[in-house]
Amino acid sequence: MLISERKNTDLMETDIPHRRQGWSAVWAFLQKELRRNGNLYLMVLPAVAGFIIFHYLPMYGIIIAFKKFDLILGYDASPWAGLRNFQSFLSDPFALRVVKNTLLLGFYSLLFGFWPPIVLALLLNELTSKRLKKIFQSISYLPHFIATVVVVGMMMELLGANGAVNLILQQIGLEPIAFFNQSQYFRSLYIGSGIWQGIGWGSILYLAALSGIDPELYEASYMDGANRFRRMWHISLPGMLPTITILFILHASDIINIGFEKVYLLSNPAIYDVGDVIQTYVYRRGIIDRDFSYATAVGLMNSVAAFLILYVANRASRAMKQNSLW
């Protein structure tokens, strides 16, 4: 017994120099890397610090989802509630409505909003005039830089009770339409404005993928008599497929994580039957009703569901032998 213990201590003592050498090698590598690319690391440092401060440190607040949070007592002193907040949401009569509205709005946004940037990129790629291509690109990019609140304001000016569209309807003898107070128009307004605002910006990565395709493939297909549609179908689309796959995986989680600002600006109590989603529901319960624990629990479940959807989409892409995030 003593012999074995002595051997173990001897091994540990002989291992210490190797560990020191390992750490010294790491430190030497870091010093060399900092001397070589110190300016680049200095440029990245504010972004990394901001990401840690505003994304990782606030994660500690997730603890209030499992507590009966009291502003006076704070995070640590508030009493534990266990899974009571999660159970309250699952038994809430409005839970099914907000989950259904979120899934439908996210699914329709992905269904109708994912492919227009691909089509635009293919059409721009077929333009032979570089000047026209730049003009159309600039025009399609501009809506992305308009703030969401401004976009909604423009929609209200056009589609409001005294907007241009209703004035035209009245001029031709038709009844004006209350676009923002009728449930059947909410999803169309949300998805349509999203397509208009994001189609140009979303086509940038697809245009970059198209620029990486070997031009000789197009020349060979042209010599073989292939028209433009066949060249797009057999050369352009396969060349874009890895980019399409990655972006589809990234957008898959948007089915349940659709955002807050535009939905909040477009919705009102008259259309809550289709416009009340998880994000607006969390806002009302957390900020207006000040039920912070309940709202945090609902937000945490929403985040977990979004991650699961992303994981399933990634696994499905790997199963089909396509590109994947990991």
Side-chain angles (χ1 to χ4, degrees), residues 181-201:
N181 293 321
Q182 297 185 24
S183 301
Q184 63 266 32
Y185 298 110
F186 172 77
R187 290 180 182 135
S188 299
L189 292 174
Y190 179 88
I191 296 169
S193 61
I195 294 173
W196 173 77
Q197 193 174 10
I199 183 172
W201 188 257

Side-chain angles (χ1 to χ4, degrees), residues 36 41 48 55 62 161 165 174 220-221 237 252 269 288 295 311 313:
R36 181 184 301 175
Y41 286 116
V48 174
H55 289 80
I62 293 175
V165 174
L174 298 176
S221 63
L237 274 177
I288 298 178
Y311 179 78

Side-chain angles (χ1 to χ4, degrees), residues 279-296:
Q279 287 73 19
T280 55
Y281 179 75
V282 168
Y283 167 76
R284 290 200 311 275
R285 291 299 300 266
I287 304 300
I288 298 178
D289 297 341
R290 297 188 179 184
D291 193 351
F292 301 108
S293 296
Y294 182 86
T296 304

